[in-house]
Short mmCIF file of all heavy atoms in Angstrom, two decimals:
data_model
loop_
_atom_site.label_atom_id
_atom_site.label_comp_id
_atom_site.label_asym_id
_atom_site.label_seq_id
_atom_site.Cartn_x
_atom_site.Cartn_y
_atom_site.Cartn_z
N ILE A 134 -29.10 -12.08 26.18
CA ILE A 134 -28.84 -13.30 25.41
C ILE A 134 -28.02 -12.99 24.24
O ILE A 134 -26.94 -13.80 24.01
CB ILE A 134 -30.25 -13.88 24.90
CG1 ILE A 134 -31.23 -14.26 26.11
CG2 ILE A 134 -30.07 -15.04 24.01
CD1 ILE A 134 -32.51 -14.53 25.83
N GLY A 135 -28.30 -12.04 23.31
CA GLY A 135 -27.57 -11.88 22.04
C GLY A 135 -26.27 -11.48 22.26
O GLY A 135 -25.22 -12.08 21.65
N TRP A 136 -25.93 -10.55 23.11
CA TRP A 136 -24.52 -10.04 23.33
C TRP A 136 -23.57 -11.16 23.87
O TRP A 136 -22.50 -11.33 23.31
CB TRP A 136 -24.49 -8.81 24.14
CG TRP A 136 -23.26 -8.28 24.48
CD1 TRP A 136 -22.47 -8.27 25.58
CD2 TRP A 136 -22.45 -7.41 23.47
NE1 TRP A 136 -21.27 -7.61 25.42
CE2 TRP A 136 -21.23 -7.06 24.17
CE3 TRP A 136 -22.66 -7.00 22.25
CZ2 TRP A 136 -20.27 -6.33 23.59
CZ3 TRP A 136 -21.72 -6.24 21.60
CH2 TRP A 136 -20.44 -5.91 22.28
N PRO A 137 -24.03 -11.79 24.92
CA PRO A 137 -23.10 -12.97 25.41
C PRO A 137 -22.85 -13.98 24.40
O PRO A 137 -21.75 -14.45 24.29
CB PRO A 137 -23.82 -13.42 26.73
CG PRO A 137 -24.67 -12.34 27.13
CD PRO A 137 -25.13 -11.56 25.78
N VAL A 138 -23.91 -14.39 23.58
CA VAL A 138 -23.74 -15.38 22.63
C VAL A 138 -22.76 -14.99 21.50
O VAL A 138 -21.91 -15.73 21.13
CB VAL A 138 -25.06 -15.83 21.91
CG1 VAL A 138 -24.94 -16.68 20.75
CG2 VAL A 138 -25.99 -16.52 23.01
N MET A 139 -22.91 -13.73 21.14
CA MET A 139 -21.96 -13.10 20.02
C MET A 139 -20.58 -13.18 20.59
O MET A 139 -19.58 -13.36 19.91
CB MET A 139 -22.44 -11.76 19.64
CG MET A 139 -21.68 -11.15 18.54
SD MET A 139 -21.95 -12.03 17.02
CE MET A 139 -20.86 -11.24 15.96
N MET A 140 -20.39 -12.78 21.85
CA MET A 140 -19.08 -12.61 22.38
C MET A 140 -18.34 -13.95 22.48
O MET A 140 -17.16 -14.12 22.21
CB MET A 140 -19.06 -12.02 23.84
CG MET A 140 -19.37 -10.61 23.78
SD MET A 140 -18.22 -9.49 22.84
CE MET A 140 -16.77 -9.72 23.86
N VAL A 141 -19.15 -15.01 22.83
CA VAL A 141 -18.54 -16.37 22.93
C VAL A 141 -18.21 -16.81 21.41
O VAL A 141 -17.15 -17.37 21.34
CB VAL A 141 -19.52 -17.30 23.59
CG1 VAL A 141 -19.12 -18.70 23.47
CG2 VAL A 141 -19.77 -16.96 25.12
N GLY A 142 -19.11 -16.53 20.53
CA GLY A 142 -18.82 -16.94 19.16
C GLY A 142 -17.56 -16.33 18.57
O GLY A 142 -16.78 -16.96 17.82
N VAL A 143 -17.44 -15.00 18.82
CA VAL A 143 -16.26 -14.25 18.43
C VAL A 143 -14.96 -14.84 19.10
O VAL A 143 -13.95 -15.05 18.32
CB VAL A 143 -16.32 -12.84 18.74
CG1 VAL A 143 -15.10 -12.04 18.54
CG2 VAL A 143 -17.42 -12.12 17.91
N LEU A 144 -15.05 -15.11 20.35
CA LEU A 144 -13.90 -15.64 21.06
C LEU A 144 -13.51 -17.00 20.50
O LEU A 144 -12.25 -17.27 20.17
CB LEU A 144 -14.15 -15.78 22.55
CG LEU A 144 -12.98 -16.36 23.46
CD1 LEU A 144 -11.79 -15.52 23.30
CD2 LEU A 144 -13.46 -16.47 24.87
N LEU A 145 -14.42 -17.85 20.30
CA LEU A 145 -14.15 -19.23 19.84
C LEU A 145 -13.60 -19.13 18.36
O LEU A 145 -12.66 -19.92 17.97
CB LEU A 145 -15.43 -20.08 19.83
CG LEU A 145 -15.87 -20.41 21.29
CD1 LEU A 145 -17.12 -21.35 21.27
CD2 LEU A 145 -14.71 -21.14 22.06
N THR A 146 -14.24 -18.28 17.57
CA THR A 146 -13.83 -18.13 16.10
C THR A 146 -12.36 -17.62 16.06
O THR A 146 -11.56 -18.14 15.20
CB THR A 146 -14.81 -17.22 15.31
OG1 THR A 146 -16.10 -17.73 15.56
CG2 THR A 146 -14.39 -17.05 13.95
N SER A 147 -12.11 -16.66 16.91
CA SER A 147 -10.67 -16.01 16.90
C SER A 147 -9.74 -17.06 17.25
O SER A 147 -8.56 -17.17 16.59
CB SER A 147 -10.73 -14.82 17.76
OG SER A 147 -11.52 -13.80 17.40
N VAL A 148 -9.95 -17.87 18.30
CA VAL A 148 -9.02 -18.87 18.68
C VAL A 148 -8.88 -19.91 17.56
O VAL A 148 -7.71 -20.27 17.24
CB VAL A 148 -9.47 -19.55 20.00
CG1 VAL A 148 -8.60 -20.75 20.26
CG2 VAL A 148 -9.44 -18.54 21.16
N TRP A 149 -9.94 -20.31 16.95
CA TRP A 149 -9.85 -21.27 15.77
C TRP A 149 -9.13 -20.79 14.69
O TRP A 149 -8.27 -21.45 14.07
CB TRP A 149 -11.20 -21.69 15.46
CG TRP A 149 -11.29 -22.69 14.31
CD1 TRP A 149 -10.84 -24.03 14.41
CD2 TRP A 149 -11.57 -22.36 12.94
NE1 TRP A 149 -10.98 -24.55 13.14
CE2 TRP A 149 -11.41 -23.55 12.30
CE3 TRP A 149 -11.99 -21.24 12.30
CZ2 TRP A 149 -11.69 -23.66 10.87
CZ3 TRP A 149 -12.28 -21.34 10.97
CH2 TRP A 149 -12.08 -22.52 10.30
N VAL A 150 -9.37 -19.48 14.27
CA VAL A 150 -8.71 -18.88 13.09
C VAL A 150 -7.13 -18.77 13.36
O VAL A 150 -6.45 -19.14 12.54
CB VAL A 150 -9.31 -17.61 12.76
CG1 VAL A 150 -8.45 -16.79 11.77
CG2 VAL A 150 -10.74 -17.74 12.21
N SER A 151 -6.79 -18.36 14.60
CA SER A 151 -5.42 -18.14 14.82
C SER A 151 -4.68 -19.50 14.81
O SER A 151 -3.65 -19.64 14.35
CB SER A 151 -5.34 -17.50 16.32
OG SER A 151 -3.99 -17.39 16.62
N TRP A 152 -5.35 -20.55 15.41
CA TRP A 152 -4.69 -21.86 15.55
C TRP A 152 -4.64 -22.48 14.02
O TRP A 152 -3.52 -23.00 13.60
CB TRP A 152 -5.51 -22.80 16.42
CG TRP A 152 -5.16 -24.23 16.23
CD1 TRP A 152 -3.98 -24.90 16.94
CD2 TRP A 152 -5.67 -25.30 15.46
NE1 TRP A 152 -3.87 -26.15 16.59
CE2 TRP A 152 -4.95 -26.40 15.70
CE3 TRP A 152 -6.81 -25.29 14.69
CZ2 TRP A 152 -5.30 -27.73 15.11
CZ3 TRP A 152 -7.13 -26.52 14.05
CH2 TRP A 152 -6.45 -27.65 14.32
N LYS A 153 -5.68 -22.39 13.28
CA LYS A 153 -5.69 -22.96 11.91
C LYS A 153 -4.70 -22.28 11.00
O LYS A 153 -3.90 -23.00 10.28
CB LYS A 153 -7.14 -22.89 11.45
CG LYS A 153 -7.35 -23.57 10.10
CD LYS A 153 -7.30 -25.06 10.30
CE LYS A 153 -7.63 -25.81 8.96
NZ LYS A 153 -7.54 -27.29 9.12
N VAL A 154 -4.65 -21.07 11.00
CA VAL A 154 -3.76 -20.29 10.07
C VAL A 154 -2.36 -20.52 10.39
O VAL A 154 -1.49 -20.73 9.60
CB VAL A 154 -4.05 -18.82 10.02
CG1 VAL A 154 -2.99 -18.03 9.39
CG2 VAL A 154 -5.47 -18.48 9.40
N LYS A 155 -2.04 -20.55 11.72
CA LYS A 155 -0.58 -20.79 12.15
C LYS A 155 -0.17 -22.21 11.77
O LYS A 155 0.90 -22.36 11.28
CB LYS A 155 -0.54 -20.57 13.66
CG LYS A 155 0.98 -20.46 14.21
CD LYS A 155 1.02 -20.18 15.60
CE LYS A 155 2.47 -20.08 16.03
NZ LYS A 155 2.49 -19.54 17.51
N LYS A 156 -1.14 -23.09 11.91
CA LYS A 156 -0.69 -24.53 11.55
C LYS A 156 -0.53 -24.65 9.98
O LYS A 156 0.48 -25.25 9.54
CB LYS A 156 -1.88 -25.39 12.04
CG LYS A 156 -1.64 -26.92 11.58
CD LYS A 156 -2.83 -27.68 12.05
CE LYS A 156 -2.63 -29.22 11.61
NZ LYS A 156 -3.84 -29.95 11.93
N LEU A 157 -1.35 -23.97 9.18
CA LEU A 157 -1.26 -24.12 7.79
C LEU A 157 -0.01 -23.38 7.22
O LEU A 157 0.67 -23.90 6.29
CB LEU A 157 -2.44 -23.50 6.99
CG LEU A 157 -3.73 -24.38 7.23
CD1 LEU A 157 -4.98 -23.55 6.72
CD2 LEU A 157 -3.72 -25.70 6.69
N VAL A 158 0.32 -22.25 7.83
CA VAL A 158 1.52 -21.57 7.40
C VAL A 158 2.74 -22.29 7.73
O VAL A 158 3.72 -22.36 6.94
CB VAL A 158 1.50 -20.20 8.17
CG1 VAL A 158 2.87 -19.44 8.02
CG2 VAL A 158 0.51 -19.23 7.54
N ALA A 159 2.77 -23.02 8.93
CA ALA A 159 3.91 -23.80 9.26
C ALA A 159 4.14 -24.96 8.36
O ALA A 159 5.28 -25.38 7.99
CB ALA A 159 3.76 -24.36 10.66
N GLU A 160 3.01 -25.43 7.85
CA GLU A 160 3.09 -26.66 6.88
C GLU A 160 3.42 -26.12 5.47
O GLU A 160 4.26 -26.86 4.74
CB GLU A 160 1.77 -27.32 6.81
CG GLU A 160 1.42 -28.07 8.03
CD GLU A 160 0.02 -28.68 8.03
OE1 GLU A 160 -0.71 -28.43 7.05
OE2 GLU A 160 -0.36 -29.33 9.01
N LYS A 161 2.92 -25.00 5.08
CA LYS A 161 3.12 -24.47 3.66
C LYS A 161 4.45 -23.77 3.44
O LYS A 161 5.03 -23.75 2.44
CB LYS A 161 1.88 -23.61 3.28
CG LYS A 161 1.93 -23.25 1.77
CD LYS A 161 0.58 -22.46 1.51
CE LYS A 161 0.54 -22.05 -0.01
NZ LYS A 161 0.35 -23.33 -0.81
N PHE A 162 4.86 -23.03 4.57
CA PHE A 162 6.05 -22.26 4.47
C PHE A 162 7.00 -22.75 5.63
O PHE A 162 7.06 -21.96 6.66
CB PHE A 162 5.81 -20.71 4.56
CG PHE A 162 4.86 -20.36 3.51
CD1 PHE A 162 3.46 -20.10 3.92
CD2 PHE A 162 5.20 -20.09 2.26
CE1 PHE A 162 2.60 -19.72 3.02
CE2 PHE A 162 4.20 -19.59 1.31
CZ PHE A 162 2.95 -19.42 1.65
N PRO A 163 7.72 -23.85 5.61
CA PRO A 163 8.49 -24.33 6.71
C PRO A 163 9.66 -23.46 7.15
O PRO A 163 10.04 -23.39 8.26
CB PRO A 163 8.95 -25.70 6.23
CG PRO A 163 8.81 -25.68 4.73
CD PRO A 163 7.69 -24.73 4.38
N GLY A 164 10.13 -22.56 6.12
CA GLY A 164 11.22 -21.70 6.58
C GLY A 164 10.78 -20.40 7.04
O GLY A 164 11.67 -19.59 7.39
N GLU A 165 9.49 -20.09 7.05
CA GLU A 165 9.05 -18.76 7.45
C GLU A 165 8.75 -18.74 8.99
O GLU A 165 8.49 -19.62 9.58
CB GLU A 165 7.71 -18.40 6.72
CG GLU A 165 7.83 -18.13 5.20
CD GLU A 165 8.46 -16.68 5.11
OE1 GLU A 165 8.19 -15.83 5.84
OE2 GLU A 165 9.27 -16.62 4.03
N ASN A 166 8.91 -17.48 9.46
CA ASN A 166 8.65 -17.26 10.87
C ASN A 166 7.19 -17.13 11.12
O ASN A 166 6.53 -16.28 10.46
CB ASN A 166 9.37 -16.04 11.34
CG ASN A 166 9.16 -15.80 12.88
OD1 ASN A 166 8.72 -16.62 13.62
ND2 ASN A 166 9.60 -14.52 13.29
N THR A 167 6.57 -17.99 11.90
CA THR A 167 5.11 -17.97 12.11
C THR A 167 4.70 -17.20 13.39
O THR A 167 3.53 -17.16 13.73
CB THR A 167 4.52 -19.38 12.34
OG1 THR A 167 5.28 -20.02 13.50
CG2 THR A 167 4.97 -20.29 11.13
N ARG A 168 5.70 -16.46 14.00
CA ARG A 168 5.34 -15.70 15.12
C ARG A 168 4.36 -14.56 14.81
O ARG A 168 4.71 -13.77 13.83
CB ARG A 168 6.57 -15.13 15.72
CG ARG A 168 6.39 -14.34 16.98
CD ARG A 168 7.67 -13.93 17.63
NE ARG A 168 7.40 -13.08 18.85
CZ ARG A 168 8.42 -12.58 19.60
NH1 ARG A 168 9.65 -12.71 19.21
NH2 ARG A 168 8.21 -11.88 20.70
N GLY A 169 3.19 -14.53 15.42
CA GLY A 169 2.30 -13.46 15.24
C GLY A 169 1.37 -13.60 14.01
O GLY A 169 0.40 -12.81 13.92
N VAL A 170 1.49 -14.61 13.26
CA VAL A 170 0.69 -14.79 12.05
C VAL A 170 -0.76 -15.16 12.49
O VAL A 170 -1.69 -14.81 11.81
CB VAL A 170 1.36 -15.73 11.06
CG1 VAL A 170 1.39 -17.18 11.61
CG2 VAL A 170 0.62 -15.63 9.67
N GLY A 171 -0.88 -16.00 13.47
CA GLY A 171 -2.18 -16.41 13.95
C GLY A 171 -2.96 -15.26 14.44
O GLY A 171 -4.14 -15.08 14.17
N PHE A 172 -2.38 -14.36 15.36
CA PHE A 172 -3.00 -13.24 15.83
C PHE A 172 -3.37 -12.17 14.69
O PHE A 172 -4.47 -11.59 14.71
CB PHE A 172 -2.08 -12.52 16.87
CG PHE A 172 -2.69 -11.22 17.47
CD1 PHE A 172 -3.62 -11.38 18.44
CD2 PHE A 172 -2.26 -9.99 17.12
CE1 PHE A 172 -4.21 -10.20 19.01
CE2 PHE A 172 -2.80 -8.87 17.63
CZ PHE A 172 -3.85 -8.96 18.56
N TYR A 173 -2.50 -12.15 13.67
CA TYR A 173 -2.75 -11.30 12.56
C TYR A 173 -3.99 -11.72 11.78
O TYR A 173 -4.82 -10.93 11.40
CB TYR A 173 -1.48 -11.41 11.57
CG TYR A 173 -1.60 -10.65 10.30
CD1 TYR A 173 -1.37 -9.24 10.27
CD2 TYR A 173 -1.85 -11.27 9.12
CE1 TYR A 173 -1.43 -8.64 9.05
CE2 TYR A 173 -1.89 -10.54 7.91
CZ TYR A 173 -1.71 -9.28 7.93
OH TYR A 173 -1.82 -8.52 6.69
N ALA A 174 -4.09 -12.98 11.68
CA ALA A 174 -5.35 -13.56 10.95
C ALA A 174 -6.58 -13.35 11.78
O ALA A 174 -7.63 -12.97 11.17
CB ALA A 174 -5.14 -15.00 10.63
N ALA A 175 -6.48 -13.51 13.02
CA ALA A 175 -7.64 -13.32 13.91
C ALA A 175 -8.10 -11.87 13.91
O ALA A 175 -9.29 -11.65 13.84
CB ALA A 175 -7.31 -13.82 15.31
N MET A 176 -7.20 -10.94 13.97
CA MET A 176 -7.61 -9.60 13.94
C MET A 176 -8.20 -9.25 12.58
O MET A 176 -9.15 -8.36 12.52
CB MET A 176 -6.35 -8.65 14.22
CG MET A 176 -5.84 -8.81 15.62
SD MET A 176 -7.05 -8.10 16.93
CE MET A 176 -7.71 -9.76 17.50
N ARG A 177 -7.71 -9.72 11.54
CA ARG A 177 -8.27 -9.47 10.20
C ARG A 177 -9.71 -10.00 10.05
O ARG A 177 -10.64 -9.39 9.54
CB ARG A 177 -7.41 -10.00 9.09
CG ARG A 177 -7.87 -9.60 7.76
CD ARG A 177 -6.87 -9.99 6.65
NE ARG A 177 -7.25 -9.61 5.34
CZ ARG A 177 -7.06 -8.40 4.79
NH1 ARG A 177 -6.30 -7.47 5.35
NH2 ARG A 177 -7.45 -8.26 3.52
N ALA A 178 -9.88 -11.18 10.65
CA ALA A 178 -11.21 -11.79 10.71
C ALA A 178 -12.24 -10.94 11.55
O ALA A 178 -13.45 -11.03 11.27
CB ALA A 178 -11.15 -13.24 11.24
N LEU A 179 -11.75 -10.15 12.42
CA LEU A 179 -12.72 -9.27 13.20
C LEU A 179 -13.20 -8.09 12.41
O LEU A 179 -14.21 -7.40 12.78
CB LEU A 179 -12.08 -8.79 14.41
CG LEU A 179 -11.99 -9.71 15.73
CD1 LEU A 179 -11.20 -9.18 16.83
CD2 LEU A 179 -13.47 -9.97 16.24
#
Side-chain angles (χ1 to χ4, degrees):
I134 300 175
W136 182 256
V138 170
M139 186 66 185
M140 291 299 295
V141 172
V143 168
L144 178 62
L145 293 178
T146 302
S147 299
V148 172
W149 177 74
V150 167
S151 178
W152 170 81
K153 186 69 174 179
V154 169
K155 190 172 183 178
K156 179 183 177 183
L157 292 174
V158 167
E160 294 174 355
K161 192 174 182 64
F162 307 100
E165 287 288 323
N166 184 10
T167 61
R168 183 178 180 181
V170 70
F172 181 79
Y173 177 79
M176 290 297 101
R177 187 172 180 87
L179 276 172

